[in-house]
Amino acid sequence: MADGSSYNVKLYIYDLSKGLARQLSPMMLGEHTSVVVYGEEFFYGGGGITSCFPGGTILGMPDSIVDLGNTEVPRDLFQEYLSSLRESTYRPEKYHLFEHNCNTFSSEVAQFLTGTKIPSYITELPSEVLATPFGQALRPFLDSVTITPSGDNGMNGYGQL
């Protein structure tokens, strides 16, 4: 990198049920993740790739934050990368609650920025839930669910691409 700048990368983790899933069953823990870098929070949902100020989604502040390290990827290169993802892999119609969601997006973006994916306990949770009889019974309903945690300015966060 030409200027030697380094940017901190964080994973924001939200419990979508605000504790209810944890009380009912650890297998039903619903977590939403996003990546915070360059002073902006980036996430994927039914509306595609969106961004907002950190903590600016309708979900409020995250339940936990994981430091993923630093990146030397310049912001403009990252914006180009996100544009290519938006046009191909992470279009709104490709969203799927269990197989192609905010967590797969966060993991791919973290890999691009830091060389490390997000913790596997988050990305493996959907498979664990669906492997249970309860998960199989709920699958038709869950397949119809789309999560779109809009930023503080609707789907047009200040860094909307």
Side-chain angles (χ1 to χ4, degrees):
M1 185 164 125
D3 67 6
S5 296
S6 181
Y7 307 92
N8 189 249
V9 181
K10 295 190 181 301
L11 179 71
Y12 276 24
I13 303 172
Y14 300 88
D15 174 3
L16 296 177
S17 72
K18 294 300 179 192
L20 179 61
R22 238 180 271 247
Q23 292 172 4
L24 295 175
S25 167
M27 291 299 291
M28 287 304 295
L29 178 64
E31 292 184 323
H32 167 78
T33 60
S34 60
V35 173
V36 175
V37 64
Y38 313 110
E40 200 167 341
E41 183 173 354
F42 298 91
F43 51 93
Y44 173 67
I49 298 172
T50 303
S51 67
C52 64
F53 290 102
T57 73
I58 196 169
L59 301 173
M61 292 307 293
D63 294 292
S64 62
I65 299 173
V66 175
D67 189 341
L68 297 175
N70 291 311
T71 186
E72 293 185 355
V73 173
R75 184 183 180 105
D76 60 340
L77 178 59
F78 179 66
Q79 296 285 2
E80 288 176 29
Y81 170 71
L82 285 183
S83 290
S84 72
L85 291 180
R86 175 176 279 112
E87 294 169 8
S88 59
T89 314
Y90 289 96
R91 293 193 319 260
E93 68 273 12
K94 290 194 170 193
Y95 179 87
H96 187 275
L97 182 63
F98 284 107
E99 295 160 7
H100 194 70
N101 56 37
C102 59
N103 300 329
T104 54
F105 170 77
S106 292
S107 194
E108 190 167 329
V109 168
Q111 176 78 37
F112 176 80
L113 291 170
T114 68
T116 304
K117 294 182 178 188
I118 69 172
S120 62
Y121 75 87
I122 295 171
T123 56
E124 292 173 2
L125 183 62
S127 298
E128 292 173 14
V129 171
L130 291 176
T132 68
F134 185 63
Q136 286 298 308
L138 283 179
R139 180 149 194 162
F141 167 73
L142 296 173
D143 280 343
S144 69
V145 174
T146 299
I147 297 172
T148 307
S150 63
D152 54 1
N153 293 322
M155 290 311 296
N156 294 315
Y158 81 98
Q160 177 70 30
L161 299 173

